[in-house]
Amino acid sequence: MSELRVIVVGASGRMGRMLVRAVTEARGTVLAGATERAGSPFLGRDAGEMAGVETLGVALVDDIHSCADADVVIDFTAPAATLHHAAFVAERGMGMVIGTTGFDAEKSQQLTDILVNAPVVMAANYSVGVNLALSLIERAAAVLGEDYDAEIFEAHHKHKVDAPSGTALAMGRSLAAGRGVNLDDVAVYSREGITGARKAGTIGFSVVRGGNIVGEHQAMFIADEERIEINHNASDRMVFARGAVRAARWLSDQSGGWYDMQDVLNLRD
Ligand code: NAD
């Protein structure tokens, strides 16, 4: 495979720095550009130095159009920024790996429309372990059925702005798919006051925010006599960054279309 040239947007963010590190660590992958939002105090700084690796000669810029030519953009920023970067990707005929979460229905539709012809990987969670867990949850839900009450729990650091996490929602969708139902019809996102008894067939969500928790997820299948739990705990964000770079490399062999990590890891039945 020839050299893969990558632009990391939001390169001074928590994930951005990890992504720059993962790009430099991956064989045959080079950093072609790095951006930050207008007004960021980090503009002009070397992306490699910011990421704690060697000087790469790639300075952070606030206009993605001024980056060198590249094959793929990796974007872990915020929904509005991702839409802006998607327009650039579509204009240049590049690929895009999207990690940003928290899109509402309208922005989600805009993103799909902008990237209608591009090769795109979008995943709520780029960890290989989480994606295996999604597959296991779907299988468990299909086998256990609605006799087992299903609950999803997640915990993240105090800076996270959206809830439940994209990964928790993906777990909910896998669980619902295993039961042959639509998550929107059965999800219960909050409980307060006199809620009444648990309604059969619902999928409940609960959320914790605090400290520097990288990401904890749990799917529970609860019957009167037994409980099955599928857990995933991430201890370092590098796990997402390495997965995203793996997705970028995989994407370079694909034609236009939307993919997720189940495709990248060949986990589809
Ligand atoms: P962060 O706030 O630390 O980083 C986001 C960065 O994007 C910031 O540095 C911000 O200045 C920058 N940014 C904003 N607008 C920009 C623009 N127009 N151009 C360039 N840069 C811009 O956040 P984070 O913890 O790194 O998370 C970023 C996103 O990634 C969130 O949506 C988070 O939920 C998601 N995330 C996804 C995964 C996954 O595996 N899919 C894993 C971790 C985080």
Side-chain angles (χ1 to χ4, degrees):
M1 185 187 173
S2 58
E3 192 174 72
L4 184 76
R5 295 174 58 77
V6 179
I7 295 173
V8 172
V9 291
S12 78
R14 282 180 290 265
M15 278 305 302
R17 292 174 200 233
M18 299 283 169
L19 288 163
V20 168
R21 222 168 96 196
V23 167
T24 60
E25 282 176 11
R27 237 175 341 135
T29 307
V30 292
L31 187 74
T35 76
E36 251 307 328
R37 64 178 165 75
S40 162
F42 301 114
L43 292 173
R45 296 270 302 272
D46 184 88
E49 286 172 17
M50 293 230 37
V53 291
E54 77 270 33
T55 305
L56 297 173
V58 177
L60 267 63
V61 295
D62 63 2
D63 180 6
I64 194 168
H65 290 83
S66 62
C67 291
D69 282 345
D71 305 296
V72 61
V73 168
I74 305 185
D75 187 324
F76 285 60
T77 57
T82 302
L83 284 175
H84 171 69
H85 300 136
F88 171 83
V89 163
E91 178 188 309
R92 297 286 169 99
M94 300 167 68
M96 188 162 190
V97 172
I98 303 171
T100 307
T101 63
F103 286 86
D104 60 22
E106 190 188 346
K107 287 202 173 66
S108 195
Q109 187 58 52
Q110 287 171 359
L111 191 65
T112 315
D113 292 345
I114 295 170
L115 293 172
V116 67
N117 294 317
V120 178
V121 178
M122 184 164 184
N125 190 309
Y126 278 89
S127 121
V128 171
V130 158
N131 283 280
L132 177 61
L134 291 177
S135 202
L136 296 173
I137 288 168
E138 184 168 343
R139 179 129 189 256
V143 171
L144 299 170
E146 293 188 3
D147 289 345
Y148 289 70
D149 293 327
E151 292 283 312
I152 290 169
F153 164 84
E154 61 103 334
H156 278 89
H157 54 86
K158 61 188 170 194
H159 304 291
K160 187 164 177 61
V161 295
D162 52 314
S165 71
T167 303
L169 293 170
M171 284 183 159
R173 281 192 294 274
S174 296
L175 212 157
R179 287 180 169 181
V181 297
N182 189 338
L183 180 63
D184 290 341
D185 297 335
V186 294
V188 174
Y189 292 114
S190 64
R191 294 178 178 119
E192 191 187 17
I194 311 296
T195 59
R198 192 182 199 285
K199 205 170 148 219
T202 52
I203 299 175
F205 287 81
S206 53
V207 172
V208 159
R209 291 285 176 268
N212 63 356
I213 301 171
V214 175
E216 297 178 4
H217 292 90
Q218 183 174 51
M220 285 169 269
F221 298 87
I222 311 166
D224 289 351
E225 314 80 7
E226 64 178 354
R227 175 153 118 199
I228 296 104
E229 295 176 353
I230 297 172
N231 291 322
H232 181 272
N233 296 322
S235 50
D236 192 311
R237 285 187 180 82
M238 270 308 276
V239 77
F240 309 124
R242 289 203 185 95
V245 173
R246 183 168 168 170
R249 294 184 63 76
W250 178 88
L251 196 59
S252 64
D253 292 328
Q254 311 303 317
S255 45
W258 280 66
Y259 307 96
D260 61 20
M261 279 303 270
Q262 303 285 306
D263 300 306
V264 175
L265 301 174
N266 200 18
L267 283 169
R268 294 221 186 279
D269 289 334

